Amino acid sequence: MLVAAAVCPCPPLLVPEVAAGAAPELDPVRTACSDALAVLAAARADRLVVVGPAGQSGRGPHPEGARGSLRGFGVDLAVRLGDGGADTPAGRELPPSLAVAAWLLERTGWSGAPVEGLGVGEPLAAERCVEVGRRIGGAAERVALLVMGDGSACRTLKAPGYLDERAAPFDAAVARALGAADVEALKALDAELAHELKAAGRAPWQVLAGAAEGTAPAGALLYDDAPYGVGYFVATWS
């Protein structure tokens, strides 16, 4: 059963070495992420599952000890998912979203439950996302989720997806759903609209909705802003 969840954005810019001179601009969201992970640690879960968007090569499960890096973003920085899995053989790298999650866990000194990752493809239909979440929620007596994903990338003229007038209302609906732990609202997110707005968090958020079915968590929205024209949210469910 899901006992706690933290929702964080997954831009590589969260890592100060990647952001370089712009690093201080994202200090508020980094602080919010640290606060959210503290809620996960306090939940004393039996299992932590990190869920994030992934391209074709990064989809599917990633075991504890899986490795990734930020080299694709100009920084020679390696990360590792969790502190176990020492004998895990080298394999495919973590997708960027899970690499950022691994960095967050290392930064906050995660030493709780065993950790595993799941890369979710952006095209995955809402029904399948919810089904995946149900399986995760039923896999252990006390399950926690770290859910990585960004909102729309179309909030300003300089945003990666340029300005789209639908972006702000979409992000506002996501923020309300995350802050209220509204499972049904997350399930109802429009996958096609999310794709058009380049909202990479849609599928992971709907996995969270499936995992939370049958529970009644209290939600808290810790951060809601759009630096660089991209919607970033930090929330906790507990």
Side-chain angles (χ1 to χ4, degrees), residues 94-110:
L94 295 169
S97 67
L98 298 190
V100 172
W103 176 82
L104 282 172
L105 291 168
E106 289 179 4
R107 179 175 183 261
T108 55
W110 177 267

Side-chain angles (χ1 to χ4, degrees), residues 1-2 130 132-134 136-138 145 206-215:
M1 181 178 73
L2 183 74
V130 171
V132 169
R134 288 182 188 130
I136 292 173
L145 282 182
Q206 290 181 325
V207 171
L208 168 61
E213 282 185 343
T215 68

Side-chain angles (χ1 to χ4, degrees), residues 97-204:
S97 67
L98 298 190
V100 172
W103 176 82
L104 282 172
L105 291 168
E106 289 179 4
R107 179 175 183 261
T108 55
W110 177 267
S111 59
V115 183
E116 59 191 84
L118 178 66
V120 182
E122 185 273 338
L124 194 65
E127 296 79 6
R128 288 281 295 116
C129 293
V130 171
E131 181 184 331
V132 169
R134 288 182 188 130
R135 290 203 301 267
I136 292 173
E141 186 174 341
R142 298 180 62 82
V143 177
L145 282 182
L146 173 53
V147 183
M148 308 297 292
D150 301 340
S152 74
C154 304
R155 291 278 290 273
T156 66
L157 292 173
K158 293 184 178 180
Y162 196 65
L163 177 64
D164 190 313
E165 293 180 354
R166 302 171 298 173
F170 176 88
D171 283 348
V174 171
R176 284 193 299 270
L178 293 175
D182 190 332
V183 167
E184 296 306 318
L186 288 184
K187 287 181 184 178
L189 290 176
D190 187 325
E192 183 175 348
L193 176 60
H195 174 71
E196 292 173 0
L197 295 177
K198 304 183 185 301
R202 189 274 308 172

Side-chain angles (χ1 to χ4, degrees), residues 18-70:
V18 175
E25 297 175 17
L26 293 183
D27 279 346
V29 68
R30 292 187 192 99
T31 298
C33 288
S34 295
D35 292 344
L37 264 65
V39 171
L40 291 187
R44 300 186 180 278
D46 302 322
R47 177 186 187 194
L48 173 63
V49 181
V50 183
V51 182
Q56 189 75 39
S57 63
R59 294 175 191 171
H62 295 267
E64 184 162 28
R67 299 178 184 276
S69 78
L70 281 304

